[in-house]
């Protein structure tokens, strides 16, 4: 390839030159909840912004693996801990990421000005063949079914899916969920479609590889990017701090608050605004071991408030404003 | 698909007004804001509307 042609292939022809990638934590570098997740429950978040669904008898382990293609140091690794040899028609096994309406509003989905977008990712698996996935709105009434082929076992390959803009349906443009991306790891016949393209109510394509059916099978992903246009540009790496801040709009761990004296409640501000008022889970004391557990805890997107008539009070909290 | 195992839920009041819900979800005690955009609150209200969950009044 000539230098000019090489340059042209790397320049976006539509959309922004920077902040192209809508996916948060696409390089899998942030994992606030831990780096190893054993027997992941249905709907549990693992690495930041990525959750696993599993409804049948199969069980996954998930790790933040220190393994990736060139330019990547981390990936999300799914390992089949318990296989499901007889997947029921209504069963589902998937990896999922949910996107916020504020970030995808520029796609103009649900209007006549809907733009074509391109999803790209690096994938590696112990299994080869055609895999499926889907790209849906929050009601899942609009679902773009896609497939990709893994050609060689245990080898990183980059895959690209171009999605024509959807002019119908309801796609959020606010702080609620607009788009869901699913990678099918073994959905039953009732949850897959017979063809690719726009449809509804499906998470993958029929007759594709069902990872969960094979004991100890592995599947890894990193470099996930979603951008405007019909071309997958090179992955847009962001700084670690930038990516962490983006993740903490949805989840923060170890947020400590402590009230030693005074008769009223106590408020602490978050470093920046979360997506919405987070659920607060007290995971331990804040500063001292003598703290009374707060009798009241409430949040807004900017702050947490605690109260207990018996001081001192406080705690360390997980804050969950996930989609 | 987002169904959670909610075993208890009770309003928490501040100065006479409900300010949050203390709920046990998947075995953990969570402080859930009264915010429709919060996924736990949305699921609590879905289960209330389905008749499978009752939120206890504040003490």
């Amino acid at each position: 390839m000539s230098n000019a042609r090489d340059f042209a292939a790397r320049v976006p022809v539509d959309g922004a030159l920077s902040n192209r990638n809508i996916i948060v934590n696409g390089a899998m570098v942030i994992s606030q909840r831990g780096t190893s997740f054993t027997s992941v429950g249905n709907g549990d978040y693992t690495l930041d912004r990525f959750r696993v669904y599993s409804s049948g008898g199969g069980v996954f382990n998930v790790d933040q693996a220190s393994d990736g293609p060139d330019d990547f140091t981390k990936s999300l690794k799914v390992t089949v801990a318990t296989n499901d040899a007889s997947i029921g028609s209504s069963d589902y096994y998937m990896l999922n990421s949910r996107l916020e309406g504020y970030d995808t509003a520029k796609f103009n989905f649900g209007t006549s000005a809907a733009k074509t977008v391109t999803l790209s990712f690096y994938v590696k698996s112990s299994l080869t063949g055609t895999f499926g996935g889907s790209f849906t709105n929050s009601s899942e009434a609009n679902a773009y079914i896609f497939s990709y082929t893994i050609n060689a076992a245990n080898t990183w390959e980059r895959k690209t899916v171009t999605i024509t803009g959807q002019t119908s349906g309801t796609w959020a443009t606010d702080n609620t969920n607009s788009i869901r991306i699913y990678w099918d790891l073994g959905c039953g016949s009732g949850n897959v479609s017979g063809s690719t393209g726009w449809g509804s109510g499906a998470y993958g394509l029929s007759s594709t590889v069902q990872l969960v059916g094979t004991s100890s099978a592995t599947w890894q992903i990193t470099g996930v990017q979603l951008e405007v246009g019909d071309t997958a540009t090179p992955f847009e790496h962001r700084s670690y701090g930038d990516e962490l801040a983006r993740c903490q709009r949805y989840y923060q761990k170890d947020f400590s608050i402590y009230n030693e004296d005074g008769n009223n409640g106590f408020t602490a501000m978050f470093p920046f605004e979360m997506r919405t008022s987070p659920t607060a889970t007290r995971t331990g004391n804040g500063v001292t071991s003598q703290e009374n557990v707060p009798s009241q805890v409430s949040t807004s997107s900017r702050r947490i408030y605690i109260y207990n008539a018996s001081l001192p009070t406080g705690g360390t909290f997980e804050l969950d404003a996930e989609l | 698909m987002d169904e959670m195992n909610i075993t208890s839920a009770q309003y928490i009041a501040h100065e006479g007004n409900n300010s949050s819900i203390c709920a046990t979800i998947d075995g953990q005690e969570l402080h859930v804001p009264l915010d429709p955009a919060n996924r736990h609150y949305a699921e609590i209200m879905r289960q209330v509307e389905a008749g499978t969950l009752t939120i206890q009044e504040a003490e």
Side-chain angles (χ1 to χ4, degrees), chain A residues 199-273:
Chain A
S200 66
Y203 302 118
L205 182 67
S206 62
S207 303
T208 53
V209 176
Q210 294 178 309
L211 187 91
V212 74
T214 302
S215 184
S216 301
T218 61
W219 182 90
Q220 286 174 253
I221 188 168
T222 194
V224 184
Q225 180 154 287
L226 179 66
E227 60 193 307
V228 171
D230 61 5
T231 304
T233 62
F235 183 82
E236 181 184 41
H237 287 277
R238 292 190 280 254
S239 72
Y240 184 90
D242 186 3
E243 204 70 69
L244 176 61
R246 290 173 191 244
C247 291
Q248 289 183 333
R249 176 170 171 77
Y250 303 93
Y251 176 85
Q252 295 183 47
K253 189 178 182 181
D254 297 339
F255 187 89
S256 288
I257 176 171
Y258 175 68
N259 188 20
E260 185 176 25
D261 53 22
N263 294 322
N264 297 317
F266 190 74
T267 296
M269 302 296 291
F270 303 143
F272 43 78
E273 187 168 17

Side-chain angles (χ1 to χ4, degrees), chain A:
Chain A
M1 186 181 286
S2 70
N3 288 341
R5 199 174 295 168
D6 183 54
F7 176 75
R10 293 170 184 273
V11 176
V13 295
D14 196 359
L17 290 174
S18 64
N19 291 301
R20 302 188 310 280
N21 190 5
I22 300 303
I23 302 294
V24 176
N25 199 28
M28 308 298 175
V29 294
I30 309 297
S31 195
Q32 296 182 80
R33 295 172 179 84
T35 57
S36 186
F37 306 86
T38 303
S39 301
V40 179
N42 185 25
D44 284 358
Y45 277 90
T46 58
L47 278 64
D48 279 56
R49 308 298 303 122
F50 287 85
R51 68 199 305 187
V52 166
Y53 288 101
S54 58
S55 69
V59 177
F60 292 130
N61 294 338
V62 171
D63 293 286
Q64 184 189 38
S66 296
D67 169 28
D70 287 350
D71 304 334
F72 293 87
T73 59
K74 302 292 184 184
S75 58
L76 184 154
K77 182 177 184 179
V78 177
T79 302
V80 178
T82 302
N83 71 312
D84 187 343
S86 57
I87 299 169
S89 63
S90 61
D91 287 346
Y92 47 79
Y93 296 93
M94 304 172 290
L95 179 73
N96 167 252
S97 188
R98 295 184 174 191
L99 311 183
E100 184 177 342
Y102 283 139
D103 295 331
T104 60
K106 65 183 179 181
F107 294 175
N108 297 326
F109 276 26
T111 78
S112 59
K115 295 177 180 174
T116 293
V117 299
T118 295
L119 173 70
S120 56
F121 53 93
Y122 292 85
V123 65
K124 181 171 96 167
S125 178
S126 61
L127 305 181
T128 61
T130 301
F131 290 68
S134 68
F135 179 101
T136 80
N137 63 353
S138 62
S139 71
E140 300 175 354
N142 282 264
Y144 186 94
I145 309 303
F146 65 84
S147 68
Y148 61 95
T149 300
I150 295 181
N151 299 298
N154 301 315
T155 305
W156 284 106
E157 301 174 9
R158 192 183 195 202
K159 304 301 173 187
T160 298
V161 179
T162 297
I163 299 158
T164 53
Q166 175 59 284
T167 58
S168 64
T170 300
W171 303 78
T173 56
D174 57 12
N175 68 331
T176 61
N177 177 217
S178 57
I179 290 171
R180 302 177 179 185
I181 303 172
Y182 292 100
W183 289 266
D184 178 9
L185 303 175
C187 285
S189 59
N191 284 319
V192 294
S193 171
S195 59
T196 57
W198 284 108
S200 66
Y203 302 118
L205 182 67
S206 62
S207 303
T208 53
V209 176
Q210 294 178 309
L211 187 91
V212 74
T214 302
S215 184
S216 301
T218 61
W219 182 90
Q220 286 174 253
I221 188 168
T222 194
V224 184
Q225 180 154 287
L226 179 66
E227 60 193 307
V228 171
D230 61 5
T231 304
T233 62
F235 183 82
E236 181 184 41
H237 287 277
R238 292 190 280 254
S239 72
Y240 184 90
D242 186 3
E243 204 70 69
L244 176 61
R246 290 173 191 244
C247 291
Q248 289 183 333
R249 176 170 171 77
Y250 303 93
Y251 176 85
Q252 295 183 47
K253 189 178 182 181
D254 297 339
F255 187 89
S256 288
I257 176 171
Y258 175 68
N259 188 20
E260 185 176 25
D261 53 22
N263 294 322
N264 297 317
F266 190 74
T267 296
M269 302 296 291
F270 303 143
F272 43 78
E273 187 168 17
M274 297 189 75
R275 181 190 66 84
T276 193
S277 309
T279 297
T281 305
R282 190 176 188 272
T283 56
N285 290 322
V287 176
T288 75
S289 59
Q290 289 83 40
E291 292 170 17
N292 294 289
V293 175
S295 57
Q296 292 181 24
V297 178
S298 62
T299 62
S300 73
S301 60
R302 296 301 307 271
R303 59 106 182 110
I304 183 170
Y305 168 88
I306 62 170
Y307 171 82
N308 192 318
S310 300
L311 296 173
T313 186
T316 297
F317 291 89
E318 284 187 2
L319 304 170
D320 183 332
E322 294 283 7
L323 289 161

